Amino acid sequence: MRDKKVIIFGKNDCAKCKTTKNKIDHYISKWGLADHVPVVFFNVDTIDGLSESAFRDVAKIPTTIVEQREVTLARWDGEVPHSETLRASLQT
């Protein structure tokens, strides 16, 4: 799990985006990874969020990316990741 992070693209007023962030935060904590795997949220309604989403070809929200040293290990576009799939991507 070294150098892994979870990146979420969404909007603050998007219910599915909030669900995604809350679910991922919950499972990261439940699995004891909170100190090892940061979760970063980019609001695509901001300049920074929009530019980062353009750089990463985000077309649907929420988009969740599991990354290790800037290499994408898993990606979910427009959907909430299933907990077991998320867990598997964090354990590789």
Side-chain angles (χ1 to χ4, degrees):
M1 281 172 255
R2 204 168 169 90
D3 302 321
K4 290 186 182 176
K5 66 180 168 182
V6 177
I7 305 165
I8 304 167
F9 292 90
K11 294 183 177 186
N12 288 337
D13 61 351
C14 165
K16 199 172 185 181
C17 301
K18 286 180 187 178
T19 298
T20 300
K21 183 168 182 341
N22 291 339
K23 181 179 180 180
I24 290 172
D25 284 340
H26 168 76
Y27 281 110
I28 294 283
S29 178
K30 179 180 175 180
W31 298 329
L33 302 176
D35 293 336
H36 308 288
V37 179
V39 177
V40 180
F41 180 82
F42 285 99
N43 181 354
V44 297
D45 280 337
T46 67
I47 299 285
D48 289 340
L50 191 57
S51 63
E52 188 67 25
S53 69
F55 175 73
R56 295 177 184 268
D57 296 321
V58 173
K60 293 181 179 180
I61 59 168
T63 289
T64 305
I65 300 170
V66 175
E67 184 176 272
Q68 183 174 24
R69 296 184 199 111
E70 299 184 28
V71 174
T72 299
L73 302 176
R75 181 175 174 138
W76 299 267
D77 293 290
E79 62 182 292
V80 181
H82 186 273
S83 61
E84 290 307 312
T85 310
L86 176 65
R87 187 175 198 168
S89 69
L90 292 171
Q91 292 178 333
T92 58

